[in-house]
Amino acid sequence: MSTVLVEVQRGAVVECRHYGAIAVTDATGKLVASAGDPQLLTYLRSAGKPFQALPIVTSGAADAFAFTDEELAVSAASHNGEAAHQLVIGGLLARLGLDTDALRCGIVPPIDRETAARVGAGLITPTPLHCDCSGKHTGMLAVCLQRGWPLETYKEPDHPLQREIKGVMGDFFGVPSDEIITATDGCGVPTFYASVANIARAWATLTTPPEPYREAARRVLDAMAAAPYMVAGRNRICTSLMDLAAPAVVVKTGAEGVFCMALRERGLGVAIKIEDGNGRGMATIAAAVLTQLGIWDEAAAARFLALHPPQLHNHTGTLVGELRSVFTLQ
Amino acid sequence: MSTVLVEVQRGAVVECRHYGAIAVTDATGKLVASAGDPQLLTYLRSAGKPFQALPIVTSGAADAFAFTDEELAVSAASHNGEAAHQLVIGGLLARLGLDTDALRCGIVPPIDRETAARVGAGLITPTPLHCDCSGKHTGMLAVCLQRGWPLETYKEPDHPLQREIKGVMGDFFGVPSDEIITATDGCGVPTFYASVANIARAWATLTTPPEPYREAARRVLDAMAAAPYMVAGRNRICTSLMDLAAPAVVVKTGAEGVFCMALRERGLGVAIKIEDGNGRGMATIAAAVLTQLGIWDEAAAARFLALHPPQLHNHTGTLVGELRSVFTLQ
């Protein structure tokens, strides 16, 4: 039941197609709308970061270390590695009494092109802070400090923090946590396998969380909504979508074509998976979902897409084609 | 009739799938083997470069300007923009009495990562020679000089060279050329729309070409087989596949998930299209095609895949998954 979500047109005809699935559910897992197969399985990847950030609040670390909204948002981020992100994470790390050596996320080029070019040109020394996951890792270290857990091994699947996060995912997916398949994420921590429907359920549950997550989920979503720049950065759809639609809509990308939304006023979660992993059509998909659900009108969608034009340009800057969402939610 | 060609596995389970189609035909268009829908339509993109190079020979330019194998191969290339490629193209341009200002391919980062990093760091001044299509454009200029056609407008669809190339494509696709849909390619010249089956037919026809292409097709394929480094460069599948299998097998990638092969001893052409445009699984697909057709044994395929391991590594260099071809040619 493969469904085309996006067509890529060059000139007058279609050159490429992106297959995938979309599920919209409430917090009980009831399917409200879908495209393609809601049982399509994928890893949550970075769309799991808001859940991975919940222990910062539930452990008491958020209060003990006086996390600001920006710090909590960057703990749930795939940030650009811009100076603004590094400043916030560096400040938090210092308050934890740690330096960048404590981060195990690796030294990777920042997502932000301009910052990456400056790193490539030797104008900036690359550090673990450039990694889009460095905020998440800093948040994980804060939990370990608060709980008195080992810092060096926080990435390992059998570390108490990762075991706790797996339990969180079971609660939000609505499945026994010992049945969740995991693998190694880009930054080395476990990532979690689930159907698109169960991922939507997890995001819906963020909007109406049960105890012991009530306060934590509200604070994480509020922080992301209050500081969308910390969640991603310039030229990124998470940031510009939340600039336009937060706090009612809170969103997060994940690698390999994942995008999730919490529709807080409706109590719904949205999970999108592009089956081939290529997110180039995600802006047009997200805009279509919000429009079809009646959350955005055409003008709001147009304002968002003006920031992320679904267009193809060639080497010489000529407009040669466009991306177009072609699904209808059922 | 969407068919999965490649699965991307992370940990123990599948995270992504790449759909597509493969056609293997002879020069009459007779389908010998296929996976997915052989009528799937796509643009030829850079897998059209050997055809775009034919007029270099048929016009007499190859002889008039004494093209070497390296020069003819780089005229049919999506080269890396390494120093070796720039040297050959620069020498040819000089022999044509032109400089890089005559090239209309645009100034774009070279495909080769190391060269691109040196350009990014300001250690090398970017020029049109870095563009992967600069050899093709130099070959086009040679034809224009030989024919006495305007140089400035050689990219335009109504320029006599582009009209001639469209006629060539009609002859090789086996369709009336005025029925071929075109669009603007990455470098600005026309690219050609056809079914995967007709693209395979075109590549098969290169192996047993009718007049007036007999000598031209032989010389272009022989040049690509003799100078595979000029067709792509280091860490590129075109180069390493031909290092192992030329002159019997001559190959060329195209953007948006296109890969074609001329099986010269069989008189067959192979066309592969990944429907989403992502070629990350192309090495494993090409190896599976050659193995299933009995051209490679498992050891030959393993030698090739050792150069292009179908593996996923994360930020920190950990092996986290693999790519696996999952189709069987029918």
Side-chain angles (χ1 to χ4, degrees):
Chain A
M1 201 170 126
S2 302
T3 296
V4 177
L5 298 183
V6 168
E7 289 179 349
V8 183
Q9 181 164 320
R10 178 175 291 262
V13 292
V14 173
E15 182 171 29
C16 291
R17 288 174 195 82
H18 296 286
Y19 295 83
I22 301 171
V24 185
T25 78
D26 67 17
T28 70
K30 187 186 150 200
L31 195 67
V32 174
S34 65
D37 180 4
Q39 295 310 313
L40 180 70
L41 294 160
T42 188
Y43 288 105
L44 190 54
R45 306 298 304 270
S46 288
K49 281 172 174 166
F51 307 95
Q52 289 165 313
L54 295 177
I56 300 171
V57 179
T58 54
S59 70
D63 289 335
F65 297 108
F67 272 61
T68 64
D69 277 348
E70 286 199 325
E71 288 166 348
L72 203 49
V74 88
S75 298
S78 300
H79 65 75
N80 263 347
E82 298 169 45
H85 304 106
Q86 294 180 62
L87 195 68
V88 170
I89 301 165
L92 176 59
L93 262 180
R95 229 164 52 249
L96 299 179
L98 301 173
D99 62 27
T100 56
D101 292 345
L103 295 170
R104 298 283 191 271
C105 48
I107 296 178
V108 295
I111 292 174
D112 180 60
R113 282 193 192 183
E114 190 180 311
T115 309
R118 291 168 62 82
V119 170
L123 300 171
I124 303 173
T125 303
T127 83
L129 296 182
H130 287 116
C131 174
D132 65 287
C133 302
S134 55
K136 175 177 75 173
H137 284 245
T138 302
M140 288 179 170
L141 287 166
V143 177
C144 293
L145 285 171
Q146 179 70 10
R147 296 281 203 197
W149 288 336
L151 299 186
E152 296 73 17
T153 53
Y154 72 90
K155 282 171 39 176
E156 301 304 320
D158 59 356
H159 185 284
L161 173 61
Q162 301 304 337
R163 290 207 312 261
E164 176 174 330
I165 290 169
K166 193 174 178 186
V168 170
M169 290 320 311
D171 291 342
F172 280 78
F173 285 152
V175 302
S177 68
D178 59 5
E179 292 180 8
I180 300 174
I181 293 171
T182 63
T184 307
D185 209 336
C187 63
V189 302
T191 182
F192 307 97
Y193 204 59
S195 68
V196 172
N198 278 352
I199 294 173
R201 180 194 197 280
W203 273 79
T205 305
L206 280 177
T207 72
T208 54
E211 293 299 356
Y213 305 111
R214 198 173 305 263
E215 173 70 2
R218 186 191 60 71
R219 280 177 70 174
V220 168
L221 292 191
D222 281 352
M224 295 171 74
Y229 204 87
M230 283 297 117
V231 177
R234 58 187 165 200
N235 304 319
R236 296 279 303 281
I237 63 174
C238 286
T239 295
S240 44
L241 199 156
M242 288 195 285
D243 277 343
L244 292 166
V249 181
V250 171
V251 305
K252 185 71 194 71
T253 53
E256 298 287 0
V258 175
F259 191 75
C260 295
M261 302 194 260
L263 310 179
R264 301 173 79 183
E265 294 174 350
R266 306 259 188 111
L268 299 177
V270 178
I272 301 164
K273 167 70 178 185
I274 306 295
E275 208 169 348
D276 59 70
N278 183 334
R280 63 177 161 175
M282 203 60 88
T284 180
I285 295 173
V289 168
L290 291 173
T291 306
Q292 291 184 32
L293 292 176
I295 288 172
W296 273 357
D297 57 19
E298 295 293 337
R303 275 195 296 278
F304 173 62
L305 290 177
L307 301 170
H308 304 279
Q311 297 177 334
L312 289 187
H313 293 84
N314 75 356
H315 291 168
T316 54
T318 306
L319 177 66
V320 294
E322 62 172 9
L323 295 96
R324 196 173 45 237
S325 64
V326 294
F327 62 89
T328 302
L329 293 174
Q330 305 295 326
Chain B
M1 201 170 124
S2 302
T3 296
V4 177
L5 298 182
V6 167
E7 289 179 349
V8 183
Q9 182 164 319
R10 178 176 290 262
V13 292
V14 173
E15 182 171 30
C16 291
R17 289 173 194 82
H18 296 286
Y19 295 83
I22 301 171
V24 185
T25 78
D26 66 17
T28 70
K30 187 186 150 201
L31 195 66
V32 175
S34 66
D37 180 4
Q39 295 309 313
L40 180 70
L41 294 160
T42 189
Y43 288 105
L44 190 54
R45 307 298 303 270
S46 288
K49 281 172 174 166
F51 307 95
Q52 291 165 312
L54 295 178
I56 300 170
V57 180
T58 55
S59 69
D63 288 335
F65 297 108
F67 272 61
T68 63
D69 277 348
E70 286 199 325
E71 288 165 348
L72 203 49
V74 88
S75 298
S78 300
H79 65 76
N80 263 348
E82 298 169 45
H85 304 106
Q86 295 181 61
L87 195 68
V88 170
I89 302 165
L92 176 59
L93 263 179
R95 227 161 57 247
L96 299 179
L98 300 174
D99 62 27
T100 56
D101 292 345
L103 295 170
R104 298 283 191 271
C105 49
I107 296 177
V108 294
I111 293 175
D112 180 59
R113 281 193 193 185
E114 190 179 311
T115 309
R118 291 169 61 84
V119 170
L123 300 171
I124 304 173
T125 303
T127 83
L129 296 182
H130 286 116
C131 173
D132 65 288
C133 302
S134 56
K136 175 177 77 173
H137 284 246
T138 302
M140 288 180 171
L141 287 165
V143 177
C144 293
L145 285 171
Q146 179 70 10
R147 296 281 204 197
W149 289 336
L151 300 186
E152 295 73 16
T153 52
Y154 72 90
K155 282 172 40 176
E156 301 303 321
D158 59 356
H159 186 284
L161 174 61
Q162 300 304 337
R163 290 207 312 262
E164 176 174 330
I165 290 169
K166 193 174 178 186
V168 170
M169 290 319 310
D171 292 342
F172 280 78
F173 285 152
V175 302
S177 67
D178 59 6
E179 292 179 8
I180 300 174
I181 293 171
T182 63
T184 307
D185 210 336
C187 63
V189 302
T191 182
F192 307 98
Y193 203 59
S195 67
V196 172
N198 278 351
I199 293 172
R201 180 194 197 279
W203 273 79
T205 305
L206 281 177
T207 71
T208 53
E211 291 301 352
Y213 306 111
R214 197 174 303 264
E215 173 69 3
R218 186 192 59 72
R219 279 177 71 173
V220 168
L221 292 191
D222 280 351
M224 294 171 74
Y229 205 87
M230 283 296 117
V231 177
R234 58 187 165 199
N235 304 320
R236 296 279 303 282
I237 63 174
C238 286
T239 295
S240 45
L241 199 157
M242 288 196 284
D243 277 342
L244 291 166
V249 181
V250 172
V251 305
K252 185 71 194 71
T253 52
E256 297 287 1
V258 174
F259 191 74
C260 294
M261 302 194 259
L263 310 180
R264 300 173 79 184
E265 295 174 350
R266 305 260 189 113
L268 299 177
V270 178
I272 302 164
K273 167 70 178 184
I274 306 297
E275 208 169 349
D276 59 69
N278 184 334
R280 64 177 161 175
M282 203 59 88
T284 180
I285 295 173
V289 168
L290 291 174
T291 305
Q292 291 184 31
L293 293 176
I295 288 171
W296 274 357
D297 57 19
E298 295 294 337
R303 276 195 295 277
F304 174 62
L305 290 177
L307 301 171
H308 304 280
Q311 297 177 334
L312 290 186
H313 293 85
N314 75 356
H315 291 167
T316 53
T318 306
L319 178 66
V320 294
E322 62 172 9
L323 295 97
R324 195 174 44 237
S325 64
V326 294
F327 62 88
T328 303
L329 293 174
Q330 305 294 327

